[in-house]
Amino acid sequence: MSYMRSLFARLGAALGALAVSVACSAQTIDTLKILIPANPGGGWDQTGRSLGAAMQSAGVAKNVQYDNRGGAGGTIGLAQFVNAAKGDGKTLMVGGLVMVGAIELQRPPVNLSMVTPIARLTAETNVIVVPASSKFKSLKELVAQFKANPASVSWGGGSAGGIDHILVALIAKEIGAEVAKLNYVPFKGGGEALQSILGGHVSAGVSGYGEFAEHIKSGKLRALAVSGAQRIAGVDIATLKEQGINVEVANWRGVFGGPGLSDAQRQALTSAVVEATKSAAWQDTLKRMDWTSVLQVDQPFKQYVEAESQRVGAVLREVGLVKR
């Protein structure tokens, strides 16, 4: 009898632990705060707000508050997050390849090792565009002038050292243009960049396809090339490689938790984000924005961020944006 009582006691404890685990995984966050380290309108803003909406749709967050803190490739927002979100299990920050590049380029006093990697979410192909009124009718024409006189072609994109900047620098290197004469104009947010491109204030624009898709489809922007290994499904835009330029890059975005989170806090945030990515709302966002899901969590994501820092640093040194 004592054995049976012990067995039932252990079974009861196990079932209780399972119930607690299920309850924790299904626990709803009353108010989730998402720091978006960029101005409204760009890829990070779209990612943060789309994820927040998906978390509400999935029932893992009742309310979501957004805080846009743009500038310096996201490092201004990162600094605020490091200082304000310590031990806060109800706060997320959007980040990605752009921030990795900005950290390598600027060497600020904060970096991604100071926060808690939660999940890599999406990858996105970049697109090169010109306004409909541009004299450049093809990538060949744009590249010809860029090679002959690099400074005469101005490129509008995201923050210095980010994916957009890296892409233009790699194109310059590939075609034999002087990288030192690259005329790159960084913008704090996608909305600001878009208005400058549409207004003809820069020769060409570079960003994720999703940010320009509406204006490409309406004819206000002319797409010259995409930067991925393949064309975007259902979109008739040739890759750089198809047009004789051996360059291939893709952007990625994810979310991070604050410094000093407990394992329980990290797991709860991770579970909430993963649950949100299963929702119809998130799947609709992926389709609408032409984002590729690259969901990665926990230690693999942490290792990925560390590897990206090394890779991006090497690229920036190779093209002369960071001193060796």
Side-chain angles (χ1 to χ4, degrees):
M1 288 292 292
S2 60
Y3 170 77
M4 293 300 293
R5 282 197 298 269
S6 176
L7 177 61
F8 281 124
R10 291 198 299 270
L11 180 59
L15 290 173
L18 177 61
V20 169
S21 175
V22 170
C24 286
S25 64
Q27 187 175 6
T28 300
I29 300 170
D30 286 333
T31 300
L32 175 73
K33 294 171 286 185
I34 299 181
L35 189 144
I36 301 168
N39 291 346
W44 281 349
D45 189 57
Q46 292 167 336
T47 300
R49 293 177 189 275
S50 296
L51 179 65
M55 292 179 78
Q56 288 181 292
S57 176
V60 295
K62 289 183 180 178
N63 303 292
V64 182
Q65 297 176 352
Y66 305 96
D67 184 11
N68 288 83
R69 299 283 174 167
T75 57
I76 291 175
L78 174 61
Q80 177 182 323
F81 192 71
V82 168
N83 292 325
K86 185 176 182 180
D88 186 348
K90 299 180 180 180
T91 301
L92 290 170
M93 179 192 72
V94 181
L97 183 58
V98 170
M99 186 177 287
V100 172
I103 291 169
E104 291 297 316
L105 188 66
Q106 301 168 19
R107 295 295 177 181
V110 291
N111 59 60
L112 289 174
S113 71
M114 299 177 180
V115 294
T116 305
I118 298 297
R120 182 163 67 115
L121 296 171
T122 63
E124 182 181 23
T125 293
N126 268 33
V127 62
I128 297 171
V129 299
V130 294
S133 59
S134 173
K135 67 178 182 179
F136 300 115
K137 306 301 180 185
S138 66
L139 180 70
K140 183 178 180 180
E141 292 177 3
L142 177 66
V143 166
Q145 181 162 329
F146 185 40
K147 182 176 182 178
N149 186 358
S152 70
V153 177
S154 54
W155 301 80
S159 300
I163 178 67
D164 305 336
H165 197 171
I166 289 172
L167 174 57
V168 178
L170 288 173
I171 292 172
K173 184 173 182 292
E174 173 67 16
I175 66 173
E178 292 185 63
V179 178
K181 294 184 178 180
L182 183 64
N183 184 4
Y184 184 80
V185 183
F187 293 96
K188 294 180 180 179
E192 183 183 0
L194 178 61
Q195 291 308 311
S196 183
I197 297 162
L198 288 171
H201 303 299
V202 291
S203 306
V206 183
S207 191
Y209 175 77
E211 295 183 43
F212 291 155
E214 177 185 345
H215 298 282
I216 292 171
K217 292 172 183 175
S218 71
K220 292 181 180 179
L221 292 176
R222 182 183 304 119
L224 303 183
V226 291
S227 66
Q230 299 176 335
R231 297 189 182 196
I232 299 170
V235 180
D236 187 24
I237 307 172
T239 67
L240 288 167
K241 285 191 172 182
E242 285 179 302
Q243 299 181 73
I245 298 177
N246 189 29
V247 172
E248 176 189 322
V249 293
N251 198 4
W252 64 267
R253 301 184 183 105
V255 285
F256 300 80
L261 296 188
S262 66
D263 286 343
Q265 287 175 315
R266 178 183 55 77
Q267 290 169 6
L269 273 177
T270 301
S271 295
V273 170
V274 170
E275 197 65 28
T277 64
K278 300 175 184 177
S279 70
W282 182 253
Q283 296 303 316
D284 287 345
T285 295
L286 295 178
K287 184 177 180 180
R288 185 178 71 256
M289 302 300 294
D290 289 293
W291 291 343
T292 301
S293 176
V294 289
L295 185 63
Q296 186 180 43
V297 300
D298 297 327
Q299 191 65 19
F301 180 42
K302 180 181 178 181
Q303 293 172 348
Y304 180 82
V305 172
E306 293 169 351
E308 280 290 88
S309 296
Q310 295 179 7
R311 182 182 74 89
V312 171
V315 170
L316 292 174
R317 286 189 292 274
E318 182 181 358
V319 301
L321 295 175
V322 172
K323 294 182 179 179
R324 295 181 181 275

